[in-house]
Amino acid sequence: MATRIFGSGIKRREDPRLITGKARYTDDFQMAGMVHMVVVRSPHAHARITSIDTSAARGAPGVVAVFTGHDLKLGAIPCAWLVPGSDLKVPAHPALATETVRYVGDGVAMIIATDRYLAQDAADLVQVTYEVLPAVVNPETSTKEGSPQLFPEIANNVAFHWVASSGDDGVNQAFAEAEVVVKERIVQQRLLPTAMEPRAVLAQWDKYAEELTVYSTTQNPHIARFILSGVTGVPEHKLRVIAPEVGGGFGSKIPVYADEALAAWASMKLGVPVKWAETRSENYQVTIHGRDHVEYVEMAATKEGKVTAIRGTVYAGLGAYISTAAPGVPTILHGLMYSGAYAIPHIRAETFGVLTNTTPVDAYRGAGRPEATFLVERLMDRLAHTLNMDPVALRRKNLIPPFENGYTVAIGLTYDSGNYEAALAKALGMFDYEGFRREQAAARQQGRYLGIGVTTYSECCGLGPSQVAGAVGFQGGLWESAIVRFSPAGKVQALIGASPHGQGEETTFAQIIADELGVPVDDVEIAHGDTNRSPMGWGSYGSRTTPVGGAALVTAARKIKEKARAMAAHLLEAATEDIEYGDGKFFVRGAPDRFKSIQEAALMATLAWNLPAGMEPGMEASAFYDPPNFVYPFGTHIAVVEVNPATGQVDLQRYIAVDDCGPQINPMIVEGQIHGGLVQGIGQVLCEGVVYDDQGQLLTGTMMDYAMPRADMFPTFEIESTVTPSPHHPIGVKGVGETGAIASTPTVYNAVIDALQPFGIEQMEMPLTAPRVWKAIQDARAKGGQ
Amino acid sequence: MRPAQTTYQRPTSVAEALQILAAHEGAKLLAGGHSLIPAMNQRLATPELLVDIGRLDELKGISVSGNTLVIGAATPHAQVTASPNVRAHARALAQACGMLADPQVRNWGTIGGNIAHADPASDPPTVVLAAGGKLRLQSATGQRVVDANDFFLDLFTTALQPGEILRSIELPIVVDRRSAYVKMPHPASRYAVVGVAVFLDVANGYCSHASVAIGGAVPKATRSPGAERALQGSHLDDAALAAAAAAISAEVSGMAMSDLYASAEYRTAMAGVILQQAVRAALA
Amino acid sequence: MKVTVTVNGTRYEREVESRMLLVHFLREELGLTGTNIGCDTSQCGACTVHMDGKSVKSCAVLAVQADGREVTTIEGLAQDGTLHPLQAAFWEKHGLQCGYCTPGMIMAGSAFLRDHPHPTDEEIRHGLEGNICRCTGYQNIVAAMKSAAENM
């Protein structure tokens, strides 16, 4: 048997094009006759449009056309996650505003010009007059009587109200009878996803074939086609969406935005290819933001530290319109995860989805689960402090015991498999916890403030099954499909519906195929990202590409293998049940020199000169895989920080991550996913945060103001893993795209709070910038802390 | 990221550049362009004419002339940082030019462009001021030398008159003078939230001269006479440093800037903290 | 205005607007789309190229300023079909994911390594302060830089 390619950290096949500049992102494409679109955007967060004068712009050099919302014949931009039982009201979201603008960046007109500089010149000439209205930016404030109202039909700006509960009576009783209750108000600040490639679209209308091709920076070309078809009226079979190289998404390229629809419509109207590429400042104004919760959470426990209940009320900011998946994020993906890795008997999650005069909010890496993990882990540390218990000991006391095939938490989810204690033990094995506590105590004597955070988490990803999607109001399926085919010469092509955009599945999926079919990995091609080529799929998000798409691929490959076995048996004149398989060859049992390679079997099936009775020609299989459940990766993260009390600066000194995503197809790629997630999660703690002023002006509107994590903020992460297969997945794998971002935020936050215990500081708003930490220390000192 | 329409000329001498400036009111000097072009990209700056002086050899280079270190205005930051003369005679300036922005900007952005721009959060002005530096300006009618104390007038405002070009930055050379620049950078922009430069003469632990300037915290690079008094004539012990820190914070208080990232209160407090770090760095 | 720029060893003469940024000149006039644009405030470094041998953010330079100069982009870094050691190291060490920041990161990194042949981790992390990556968490970029330093 050759070295197994599954589990091997082989180099990525994506990379040669990416490291040489040959990759082609949407904005790299040029077409004959192509024109450029620039959108004129509202400078006000809330205003009535009193007039739009485009005459000067129309006469500007290079201008092909100028349109306002009155010219458009486009449907509204829809929401595709209609969470049931929540009285959800989705206000109309026109592609260009005609009467009222509701956030800074809301589009009011579009310029089409022969050159992007000239388009911008003309945009500057559009005269819009506004009657400015009061604005509201905070989701909690927005629900109060007297707040500015975004839509007359949505009272107090509450677009939905959702509750999940293990039973309200039980929850209430648990809190009423609790020996200890800890509470916190948590602000999950807004974040900017900041995929390094800003969004772009290139729409090309073929007036002869009446077909629309849209190159789009999307994580889910089939969903984009589905929605764009509805918005533009172009039937799906005449609409092709291509996701070429896509430079990261982190959720921000799931939604279908007004801009894609505008470019498509303009191309149809003008008969020329239309390109739009946002600038980074524009990206920060109009591409979705993440998080934005104000949460009131509490945990009940016994004096011995047994958690008896947890509940929370969340005001989740949605922004000015309801983006594609927005309602599902702070509800299904958040409220159902309050149990974390712990056995908690009573749970209640309540979410208000709130409109504000801000950029729409939608799924950002982790999407709801980072917020849930944060509140659970935060309350755990708070409880430990209150009970004067060691936070690790407290967690141990409450972890769900190991399970291999299903554990149902109080709120109703059934986790697939977990061994939380093992991951915790492994992480603690990499770190002298007791020694650290001694060092911490000694350092405090010298006025140095060290802190540690330990998170034991479980998250839910691999979004599916479709039955659940339907039950929770997701307006699509959550299965994936794959087609695997042999060419006559023995090469394998696999077409997948999912659409990776940097994660590396062109490599890992080839590893799966090579492993399943015993072919050289270099003989396998993975193709994706073109609705005219790839089979239907629901996209790459929610750490689902490998758990769901990978399973579809395995299933298709196994169909091929069975067909090849039958073909080989026929060629070897043996019964199928007498054929054994090994390393890409089919043997007659007991006669290892009598074999046919899978390539030979494929060739003969393709030639079809001599098929067994009833066999169809060709060697191709497709599979649709609808997972029976989510997958639940888990792990333990440890962070060590030192806080400089003179400046408030936080120095992250060590970071240990032990994650369990089941068997790893390519450990190098798994580690890369974790590294990236960690930096995003830690960025939320230490530097990132959107700020609006009271008038709804985005004050962190460029990279000069919004602090992206940089290389010099981080130590070398220490990464390990445990392996607990998912019982329901064909190859046992779980997702790993979001674990880093889910676990790291509470870990580093709790480490900073731990460092500041001598000052009695239990809480600060993120990001924990030096000025904020310094201020907290000053305030604590003024109140008589150390 | 699409600048507005503009025009461009590249004179071959300072004299020619001055003639162009005199003839075009809307003209703007362009050296490295690393302050101007980002502003043009946002259409915050829309100059009618760019006069590129970035290639004029007469504005480049670093030399020692008697007791003066002369740095041509169009010298890129990276060359200032790498210069043995700067490292020997004004280490703080080498440090400031080495921690400004990022390597790419330091390769092409020029020290003169930076100083003429007078961004209050920029690093070199603070050092030039603390060093007791002078700025040599040239106009069609001749040259004049302005003390750094009189050059930085306000936020983005200097003593440069229309039709004048900053020719060189001139720092006094004092044997064995020590210096350091320490800054707390903004996490996004990398500009100084607080930056402090100190120049010290120290013999046998005794400080016979101290000059201190602060930037980032205040609307323009500003000397700290209080900190200078506390340090000068001391042995730079903890008490002297604490007194200097208290003095600079007291001076900054009341004129400290406040923004989204850091309050005036924080900048005020950090003035003293960073000052102490700078003194220790100068002694190290 | 007419400019003459040597890019990746080829001399190009073009008539350009004075306001055209070098990055747009490379991408749109010359079709060298390997150089990416990630921000509009000269923070992210995705557009880093070499000009006269030194790294520069091509969004902070006008094409007219590049007149008469030599520019190297990511497309010109490999020599005779052989990857630059840093390109090879990015591949080997998984120093990229979506790849969008990668050309700029490699151009900045290769310039850094020329000046710092034996860098420490800390020097590398500091040396990349002009480049932002959202995917990798930087760890494997640092690893790639170290590996390339050993192989150069």
Side-chain angles (χ1 to χ4, degrees):
Chain A
M1 179 89 191
T3 310
R4 199 173 171 213
I5 196 77
F6 187 104
S8 164
I10 62 167
K11 291 197 290 187
R12 297 201 323 168
R13 52 180 51 199
E14 290 89 341
D15 291 1
R17 65 178 189 262
L18 295 165
I19 57 178
T20 56
K22 289 180 185 148
R24 295 219 290 173
Y25 299 88
T26 300
D27 193 21
D28 295 346
F29 288 82
Q30 302 275 357
M31 287 180 183
M34 186 177 84
V35 295
H36 295 267
M37 175 176 102
V38 163
V39 178
V40 179
R41 300 186 182 280
S42 168
H44 303 294
H46 198 191
R48 248 188 294 282
I49 300 168
T50 49
S51 70
I52 306 176
D53 179 356
T54 60
S55 53
R58 281 176 210 276
V63 170
V64 175
V66 181
F67 300 111
T68 70
H70 296 291
D71 303 312
L72 297 179
K73 292 189 176 48
L74 277 174
I77 307 302
C79 169
W81 197 338
L82 308 177
V83 173
S86 69
D87 195 21
L88 171 65
K89 297 176 262 310
V90 179
H93 180 192
L96 289 175
T98 52
E99 290 164 14
T100 304
V101 289
R102 294 185 178 84
Y103 70 102
V104 171
D106 214 350
V108 294
M110 60 196 281
I111 309 288
I112 306 289
T114 52
D115 166 297
R116 64 178 93 201
Y117 286 68
L118 296 175
Q120 184 64 54
D121 293 348
D124 293 349
L125 298 174
V126 174
Q127 299 290 323
V128 187
T129 55
Y130 296 96
E131 178 195 340
V132 177
L133 302 171
V136 60
V137 299
N138 177 293
E140 186 183 12
T141 314
S142 187
T143 62
K144 305 287 188 233
E145 267 328 305
S147 279
Q149 299 291 295
L150 271 78
F151 298 92
E153 68 274 24
I154 300 179
N156 298 323
N157 300 316
V158 176
F160 64 83
H161 176 221
W162 174 90
V163 176
S165 176
S166 60
D168 282 1
D169 292 346
V171 173
N172 291 337
Q173 192 181 351
F175 275 95
E177 294 172 357
E179 293 171 342
V180 190
V181 174
V182 290
K183 300 181 184 197
E184 198 155 310
R185 178 180 186 269
I186 293 171
V187 176
Q188 282 280 341
Q189 82 271 30
R190 264 177 192 257
L191 302 174
L192 299 173
T194 318
M196 289 312 297
E197 179 203 23
R199 286 190 304 117
V201 58
L202 171 55
Q204 182 189 30
W205 173 248
D206 180 337
K207 62 186 172 191
Y208 302 104
E210 298 194 327
E211 286 176 1
L212 178 66
T213 300
V214 179
Y215 291 76
S216 176
T217 53
T218 177
Q219 298 176 218
N220 28 252
H222 289 92
I223 288 183
R225 183 184 64 177
F226 190 22
I227 292 178
L228 280 174
S229 172
V231 176
T232 61
V234 178
E236 278 181 285
H237 64 289
K238 296 285 192 183
L239 207 171
R240 177 183 185 188
V241 175
I242 297 172
E245 206 75 61
V246 176
F250 313 110
S252 70
K253 293 172 182 171
I254 298 171
V256 172
Y257 296 80
D259 312 293
E260 286 93 292
L262 292 174
W265 178 83
S267 180
M268 293 168 70
K269 174 97 180 162
L270 301 170
V272 290
V274 175
K275 185 193 273 186
W276 172 81
E278 67 183 356
T279 64
R280 178 59 64 191
S281 308
E282 202 174 13
N283 172 269
Y284 280 1
Q285 281 188 0
V286 305
T287 293
I288 60 105
H289 296 178
R291 315 283 186 258
D292 197 25
H293 288 192
V294 176
E295 306 172 347
Y296 292 86
V297 295
E298 54 186 332
M299 182 177 266
T302 67
K303 279 187 295 204
E304 288 71 39
K306 194 79 188 156
V307 177
T308 53
I310 183 170
R311 68 182 168 196
T313 298
V314 172
Y315 297 89
L318 301 169
Y321 301 98
I322 303 186
S323 177
T324 305
V329 175
T331 53
I332 309 303
L333 296 178
H334 173 74
L336 298 182
M337 283 308 294
Y338 280 19
S339 207
Y342 310 107
I344 302 178
H346 302 286
I347 302 173
R348 185 175 195 271
E350 175 183 40
T351 303
F352 293 92
V354 185
L355 295 159
T356 58
N357 294 109
T358 58
T359 301
V361 178
D362 205 330
Y364 167 58
R365 201 171 194 170
R369 291 148 292 155
E371 300 94 314
T373 305
F374 187 92
L375 73 88
V376 173
E377 293 300 310
R378 184 62 215 126
L379 290 171
M380 276 290 181
D381 261 35
R382 191 131 193 175
L383 181 61
H385 296 157
T386 303
L387 294 173
N388 202 20
M389 269 183 79
D390 180 84
V392 172
L394 177 71
R395 284 175 170 77
R396 277 212 160 105
K397 200 171 266 234
N398 290 284
L399 286 177
I400 296 167
F403 59 100
E404 289 177 0
N405 197 359
Y407 176 92
T408 301
V409 296
I411 204 148
L413 290 180
T414 299
Y415 294 7
D416 60 346
S417 60
N419 190 345
Y420 308 142
E421 175 61 42
L424 174 60
K426 185 152 192 175
L428 290 173
M430 297 161 69
F431 182 78
D432 177 7
Y433 185 76
E434 301 305 324
F436 172 82
R437 288 295 186 192
R438 286 192 295 274
E439 185 190 342
Q440 180 184 45
R444 282 176 181 170
Q445 298 304 314
Q446 304 159 9
R448 289 176 52 228
Y449 297 91
L450 303 175
I452 185 170
V454 179
T455 289
T456 49
Y457 77 96
S458 177
E459 64 119 339
C460 104
C461 65
L463 301 189
S466 302
Q467 196 181 359
V468 170
V472 300
F474 186 74
Q475 302 295 296
L478 280 173
W479 47 267
E480 283 301 321
S481 73
I483 296 170
V484 179
R485 58 168 76 114
F486 268 94
S487 67
K491 308 294 183 192
V492 180
Q493 186 187 45
L495 307 173
I496 58 170
S499 195
H501 41 281
Q503 297 91 339
E505 277 88 354
E506 289 174 34
T507 303
T508 55
F509 279 16
Q511 289 179 262
I512 290 177
I513 293 281
D515 200 55
E516 289 291 328
L517 299 182
V519 296
V521 69
D522 290 339
D523 284 357
V524 184
E525 188 220 1
I526 306 293
H528 60 83
D530 179 346
T531 57
N532 271 19
R533 190 178 182 207
S534 321
M536 182 68 196
W538 295 95
S540 286
Y541 45 81
S543 302
R544 66 187 300 278
T545 309
T546 299
V548 186
L553 189 71
V554 169
T555 307
R558 288 179 181 172
K559 285 185 186 175
I560 287 239
K561 196 164 143 187
E562 287 319 301
K563 182 168 184 181
R565 182 192 300 274
M567 188 71 222
H570 180 68
L571 296 171
L572 293 166
E573 297 178 341
T576 302
E577 49 276 21
D578 290 335
I579 297 295
E580 289 185 341
Y581 171 83
D583 201 15
K585 297 186 180 71
F586 295 100
F587 302 86
V588 179
R589 183 176 299 125
D593 56 332
R594 286 186 61 210
F595 69 86
K596 291 287 175 190
S597 71
I598 195 165
Q599 290 90 346
E600 286 176 277
L603 176 63
M604 293 313 290
T606 305
L607 294 175
W609 293 338
N610 173 20
L611 295 178
M615 181 183 279
E616 291 177 0
M619 191 57 79
E620 171 169 325
S622 69
F624 293 78
Y625 181 83
D626 203 344
N629 190 3
F630 300 110
V631 291
Y632 292 79
F634 60 89
T636 295
H637 287 206
I638 301 176
V640 174
V641 301
E642 178 167 357
V643 178
N644 181 337
T647 61
Q649 287 164 315
V650 175
D651 179 27
L652 178 61
Q653 296 185 332
R654 275 188 82 179
Y655 199 97
I656 292 168
V658 175
D659 295 283
D660 191 324
C661 61
Q664 299 183 4
I665 302 164
N666 186 322
M668 178 187 81
I669 286 177
V670 168
E671 280 202 16
Q673 287 295 309
I674 293 167
H675 293 162
L678 293 180
V679 161
Q680 273 175 307
I682 298 168
Q684 179 176 8
V685 187
L686 296 181
C687 62
E688 295 184 45
V690 171
V691 182
Y692 282 99
D693 71 10
D694 292 342
Q695 284 75 49
Q697 290 297 327
L698 176 62
L699 301 182
T700 49
T702 74
M703 279 193 185
M704 292 283 282
D705 310 295
Y706 185 84
M708 288 285 288
R710 302 200 196 213
D712 57 6
M713 286 171 55
F714 302 96
T716 301
F717 302 130
E718 302 161 59
I719 309 288
E720 281 292 346
S721 59
T722 57
V723 178
T724 306
S726 172
H728 66 69
H729 187 279
I731 51 176
V733 301
K734 302 184 178 186
V736 74
E738 295 162 298
T739 59
I742 286 168
S744 61
T745 312
T747 308
V748 174
Y749 182 94
N750 279 335
V752 176
I753 297 293
D754 183 56
L756 299 177
Q757 284 301 292
F759 298 100
I761 294 169
E762 271 297 343
Q763 190 167 8
M764 282 178 282
E765 268 191 32
M766 295 186 287
L768 305 181
T769 60
R772 278 197 187 159
V773 174
W774 177 84
K775 181 76 165 66
I777 292 172
Q778 296 305 304
D779 291 349
R781 280 181 164 150
K783 276 192 262 167
Q786 189 167 344
Chain B
M1 210 181 68
R2 296 145 203 164
Q5 202 60 263
T6 187
T7 54
Y8 173 90
Q9 290 190 36
R10 192 160 60 224
T12 54
S13 67
V14 172
E16 188 191 346
L18 289 166
Q19 282 173 12
I20 298 170
L21 278 184
H24 297 85
E25 208 171 303
K28 187 102 179 135
L29 291 170
L30 175 74
H34 277 55
S35 298
L36 180 58
I37 292 170
M40 290 171 63
N41 283 338
Q42 300 284 323
R43 299 201 173 190
L44 298 172
T46 53
E48 287 164 28
L49 168 64
L50 297 167
V51 183
D52 186 351
I53 55 171
R55 297 192 198 189
L56 297 178
D57 284 340
E58 55 185 310
L59 294 177
K60 286 177 184 285
I62 298 162
S63 60
V64 170
S65 167
N67 286 332
T68 305
L69 177 64
V70 181
I71 302 169
T75 307
H77 302 294
Q79 284 178 28
V80 176
T81 295
S83 159
N85 276 326
V86 177
R87 286 169 178 246
H89 304 303
R91 191 178 58 152
L93 188 64
Q95 291 168 335
C97 290
M99 62 176 79
L100 171 156
D102 55 56
Q104 294 95 314
V105 171
R106 297 195 287 266
N107 281 337
W108 293 93
T110 66
I111 185 166
N114 182 288
I115 285 171
H117 188 55
D119 189 317
S122 186
D123 307 299
T126 309
V127 181
V128 171
L129 185 66
K134 297 182 190 323
L135 294 311
R136 182 172 293 274
L137 317 182
Q138 186 170 351
S139 66
T141 56
Q143 296 188 4
R144 64 180 179 128
V145 175
V146 179
D147 195 285
N149 281 310
D150 305 319
F151 183 79
F152 299 107
L153 301 179
D154 204 348
L155 213 70
F156 302 108
T157 310
T158 69
L160 270 166
Q161 296 298 308
E164 264 187 327
I165 288 178
L166 173 60
R167 242 198 114 80
S168 58
I169 296 98
E170 304 184 356
L171 306 185
I173 295 174
V174 180
V175 176
D176 290 340
R177 179 160 288 177
R178 295 155 173 272
S179 67
Y181 178 72
V182 174
K183 82 162 166 181
M184 180 177 278
H186 184 281
S189 71
R190 311 304 245 194
Y191 278 97
V193 174
V194 178
V196 176
V198 298
F199 283 74
L200 305 170
D201 291 341
V202 185
N204 301 319
Y206 177 79
C207 175
S208 59
H209 165 89
S211 53
V212 177
I214 183 165
V218 287
K220 59 169 184 162
T222 304
R223 286 280 284 262
S224 172
E228 291 170 358
R229 274 195 302 274
L231 298 172
Q232 199 164 305
S234 83
H235 282 83
L236 301 178
D237 48 22
D238 288 352
L241 262 62
I248 194 170
S249 287
E251 288 169 358
V252 165
S253 168
M255 62 170 170
M257 296 192 296
S258 178
D259 60 19
L260 210 54
Y261 176 71
S263 64
E265 180 195 14
Y266 183 72
R267 283 186 161 89
T268 300
M270 287 312 107
V273 173
I274 302 298
L275 166 72
Q276 296 187 52
Q277 291 180 8
V279 172
R280 294 200 175 98
L283 297 176
Chain C
M1 172 172 174
K2 190 156 100 180
V3 295
T4 305
V5 189
T6 301
V7 181
N8 301 330
T10 304
R11 200 158 166 269
Y12 297 91
E13 271 188 27
R14 289 286 190 281
E15 191 68 36
V16 299
E17 281 195 328
S18 299
R19 61 171 163 170
M20 178 177 264
L21 296 169
L22 177 59
V23 66
H24 288 140
F25 177 77
L26 295 170
R27 288 177 51 82
E28 286 165 24
E29 289 292 321
L30 305 186
L32 294 168
T33 54
T35 303
N36 293 324
I37 302 172
C39 75
D40 50 4
T41 50
S42 303
Q43 297 290 310
C44 82
C47 67
T48 302
V49 299
H50 297 173
M51 187 158 76
D52 287 351
K54 286 181 292 200
S55 62
V56 67
K57 292 180 172 178
S58 60
C59 71
V61 180
L62 300 170
V64 289
Q65 288 177 283
D67 181 34
R69 298 190 191 273
E70 294 201 7
V71 172
T72 305
T73 70
I74 190 69
E75 289 95 339
L77 198 59
Q79 293 295 320
D80 306 322
T82 304
L83 292 177
H84 182 281
L86 188 57
Q87 289 174 306
F90 265 67
W91 191 12
E92 181 73 34
K93 298 292 180 188
H94 190 28
L96 63 149
Q97 289 179 27
C98 84
Y100 197 79
C101 77
T102 308
M105 198 66 84
I106 289 176
M107 297 311 285
S110 58
F112 172 84
L113 289 176
R114 211 165 37 204
D115 299 338
H116 305 81
H118 307 291
T120 63
D121 279 21
E122 199 181 331
E123 286 167 340
I124 292 170
R125 286 179 183 273
H126 191 65
L128 294 175
E129 66 188 331
N131 292 75
I132 293 172
C133 170
R134 193 55 150 172
C135 293
T136 63
Y138 301 105
Q139 186 146 319
N140 288 340
I141 292 175
V142 175
M145 292 279 283
K146 284 198 90 154
S147 166
E150 285 159 19
N151 293 327
M152 277 170 77

